[in-house]
Amino acid sequence: MPPTQVAPRIYPETYIDTPLELKKLADPIDEIAKSLEPKPLPPSTANINQARQQQHHQQQPNGVTTAHRKQTTAEQHVAAAAAATDDDRCPQTLVIAPTIYVFIFSNPRSGNQQGLPLVQMNIQHYRMRDQPQVQVQLYDFLDPSDRMGGLRYLNLLMCKKNTPIKAFHVWSAGGDGTLMGVLEGMIEVGIDVNDPRVSFSVIPFGTGNDLSQVLGWGRFVPGTDVAGHHLEGLNKLVLDRLTGHKTLLDIWEVTLETGEGGSVRQAGKETKLKSLTRKMASRVGAGFEEHRRGSRVLNAWEYTKQSAGVLVHGVPRVTDSVEALEADGYRLDFRQQNLRVTHEPVELIIQNIPGMWGRHIDLWGVTQMSRSILKDQRGPADISQWTPQAVYDGKLEVFGIGSLRSYLFKQFPWGRKRLQRVGQFPSPMSVCFREHSQVHLMIDGEFYEVTNPTKMTYRRMMQITMVGSEPDTSRLVRDMLERRAEQPGPTGEGERPGVDFEVGKTEYAAETSGEKKERRMSAELRKSRSSSMHTPPSNSEA
C-alpha cells in the first residue's frame, strides 16, 4: 500500500516556494484544504509519476483504485500530516522563500583588513536557521567582476514582478567611501536607489568611519575574525542592522572645474584631469590608498601626515585662493578685506554629517555659537536664518580653521570652544577661486592638487534611506525622530539669536558694540528667567 499523501509544513505569515505555486498563506488550514482539492499534478514530480503508475497497476484489497483516494478530505490530510514522520513528508516539504535580502559589499583592504575573511570564505550566500526569511549575499567590493555580479543580481531581483521580497538591505563593509562606491555602482546598472524597499547601512571596517559613528554602529568592529565561529559574529552584525531604525541622508555631488592650462591630480597618481566629478562621502586620500599598512593605527598615522602636509605645504591662507562663495542667489566675497577676523583661515571645511577626523567630533554643534566671519552677513551668512545641523536638510555647514595651532587644539575637547563659522549653504553652492591659483583640496578624505581652479560646486544629488542604531546612540536617528531641522535657531535653543541664547565671540575676532549689547541682553534675559524659576509664589498666588 503506497504511503498516504501528507500535507506540507506551513509557516504562518511567511512566503513559501513550492513546485506548484508561490503565494502567501494567511490561513494555513484553509490553504491546505484548497491545495489538496482534486486536480492534475505536474508530471515532473517523481512522486506523482509513481502515484499514477500505482493508480493503473495496483488495486486495494477492497477493489478501490488509488485515484479514489484523491477525494480524501482536507481534515484527514491535516491529521495525517501531524502523524507523519520526517521521511514521509520530505518529498513535499515546502521551502520558505526569502523575503529579505541583505547584500554586503566588503572592502578587504580597509582599516585592519577585517573584511578580508568575508571575501576569502567559500560562501556566496547563506540563510540562518532561526531567520529563514533572510538571505545574506557576500561580495568583494574590490573585485570588479564580483561586485558587478552582485549589483546585477540585485537589479534582477528588484525588477522581478509578483515577488514576495519585502526589503533589500545594501551594506558596505569598509570605510565610509565604500558606501559611495556601492551607490555609484547601483546607479550605473540602473537600480532605483530610492525604491522604498531599499535601505543602506555600513559595517565599520575602515579607518575613520565617521558615518558609522553618527549612525550609532561605532568606530570599529572589535576582533579580527568578524565572521566568528559558525558565522555567529557576522549574524549578529546582520541582525543588529535588521532591527535598526531608519533615517535619511543627503548625497551630494561635487564638481571641480579648471581654467586654461589647469588640471586636477589625485595625490599619489600621475594622471591629470581637466575636471573632476564625484560623490561626497568620508574617505581617505587617494595617495593614502597606495600606502595602506593593514593596520587601523598605521593608516590613521598616514592620514594624519597627509592632512598635516596639506596644511603646512598647501595654501598658507584660504583667502589667497578663494574669492567668493555663491548660494541662494547671493555672492559673498571671501577676500581678506571682507572678513571680520584677524586670523584668516588656513582651511575651509564644507560639512554634511556632524562628525569628522574619525572621532565623532561635531565642531559646528559643540563650539560656542558665533556669527559668520564674513562682513557681508546676508543670506547663507545670516545667523538668524540658520537652523540646527541635520544631514537631511539639504544644507551644508561651512567653517574655517584659523591656524595650524587651532587645528591641533581642536583635536582635544578643551580646544573646541570657538569656531570660525562662515554660514549654512543650501544646494547648489559654489566656491569660486581666484585666477591662476594653486590649491590642495581634500574632498571627504581624498587629496587633490589643483592648478588654476575656477569653481567647485556642490549639488544635493539625492536622499537615501539609512539604517542606524538605537536613538540614544545614533545621532542621525535621534535628529530624525526629534525633527531637529525644524527647530528654531541655529542650535534649536531659541528663536531670536543673541537674545534667546548667547552668541559667542568668533575665533580671533573682536566684538562690535552691537554684539556686546546683544551679549549683555542675552545674559540679563537668562538671569531673569533663572530667578523667576526659583522665586517662591506669593500668598495671593498660593
Side-chain angles (χ1 to χ4, degrees), residues 339-345 368 370-375 377 402 418-421 503-513 515-516 519:
L339 302 183
R340 62 184 195 91
V341 289
T342 55
H343 287 66
E344 304 156 55
Q368 191 178 47
S370 56
R371 283 179 170 76
S372 172
I373 61 174
L374 300 176
K375 292 181 179 179
Q377 298 190 3
R418 298 187 177 94
L419 186 68
Q420 288 192 349
R421 288 179 175 82
V503 177
K505 184 179 69 173
T506 299
E507 189 175 27
Y508 308 119
E511 290 182 303
T512 64
S513 58
E515 291 170 341
K516 291 179 180 179
R519 180 185 290 275

Side-chain angles (χ1 to χ4, degrees), residues 189-434:
V189 299
I191 296 176
D192 180 8
V193 297
N194 292 126
D195 187 304
R197 297 174 295 173
V198 176
S199 59
F200 296 85
S201 195
V202 295
I203 301 176
F205 288 170
T207 302
N209 301 310
D210 289 316
L211 182 56
S212 175
Q213 292 185 74
V214 295
L215 283 170
W217 300 125
R219 186 177 179 184
F220 59 90
V221 177
T224 55
D225 184 11
V226 295
H229 187 59
H230 298 313
L231 297 180
E232 292 175 354
L234 181 58
N235 289 342
K236 185 180 185 306
L237 294 174
V238 170
L239 292 177
D240 285 347
R241 284 155 180 78
L242 288 180
T243 57
H245 299 260
K246 291 186 177 181
T247 185
L248 297 176
L249 175 68
D250 289 340
I251 301 298
W252 296 75
E253 185 177 72
V254 183
T255 303
L256 179 61
E257 305 170 7
T258 62
E260 184 178 356
S263 63
V264 183
R265 185 181 68 85
Q266 288 184 320
K269 297 187 180 295
E270 298 299 327
T271 305
K272 294 183 179 181
L273 306 173
K274 182 64 178 176
S275 62
L276 173 72
T277 300
R278 54 155 294 173
K279 305 295 182 298
M280 184 176 177
S282 299
R283 298 188 65 179
V284 293
F288 173 61
E289 291 280 351
E290 296 184 350
H291 299 91
R292 286 196 180 274
R293 304 297 188 87
S295 165
R296 183 176 284 110
V297 174
L298 293 177
N299 283 341
W301 172 241
E302 286 286 344
Y303 179 71
T304 302
K305 288 195 301 182
Q306 291 201 38
S307 297
V310 170
L311 290 174
V312 175
H313 303 295
V315 181
R317 301 291 172 187
V318 174
T319 52
D320 291 346
S321 302
V322 177
E323 182 175 86
L325 302 177
E326 296 179 342
D328 205 20
Y330 295 93
R331 180 180 173 87
L332 305 176
D333 200 317
F334 204 79
R335 289 176 294 183
Q336 178 181 0
Q337 62 270 26
N338 293 306
L339 302 183
R340 62 184 195 91
V341 289
T342 55
H343 287 66
E344 304 156 55
V346 298
E347 184 177 3
L348 192 66
I349 297 175
I350 301 173
Q351 179 177 285
N352 184 37
I353 65 173
M356 57 188 301
W357 298 335
R359 290 192 304 284
H360 201 173
I361 299 176
D362 177 17
L363 288 182
W364 183 275
V366 302
T367 53
Q368 191 178 47
M369 185 49 59
S370 56
R371 283 179 170 76
S372 172
I373 61 174
L374 300 176
K375 292 181 179 179
D376 183 1
Q377 298 190 3
R378 299 177 300 152
D382 183 357
I383 188 175
S384 66
Q385 303 300 316
W386 297 350
T387 57
Q389 183 182 22
V391 299
Y392 59 89
D393 60 357
K395 299 177 184 178
L396 296 171
E397 284 68 38
V398 182
F399 54 90
I401 303 296
S403 65
L404 180 58
R405 175 186 173 188
S406 175
Y407 174 84
L408 297 175
F409 280 4
K410 282 179 172 50
Q411 308 299 314
F412 307 97
W414 47 264
R416 302 172 194 156
K417 185 177 181 181
R418 298 187 177 94
L419 186 68
Q420 288 192 349
R421 288 179 175 82
V422 178
Q424 199 174 51
F425 290 75
S427 173
M429 72 151 294
S430 298
V431 180
C432 302
F433 296 95
R434 302 180 71 171

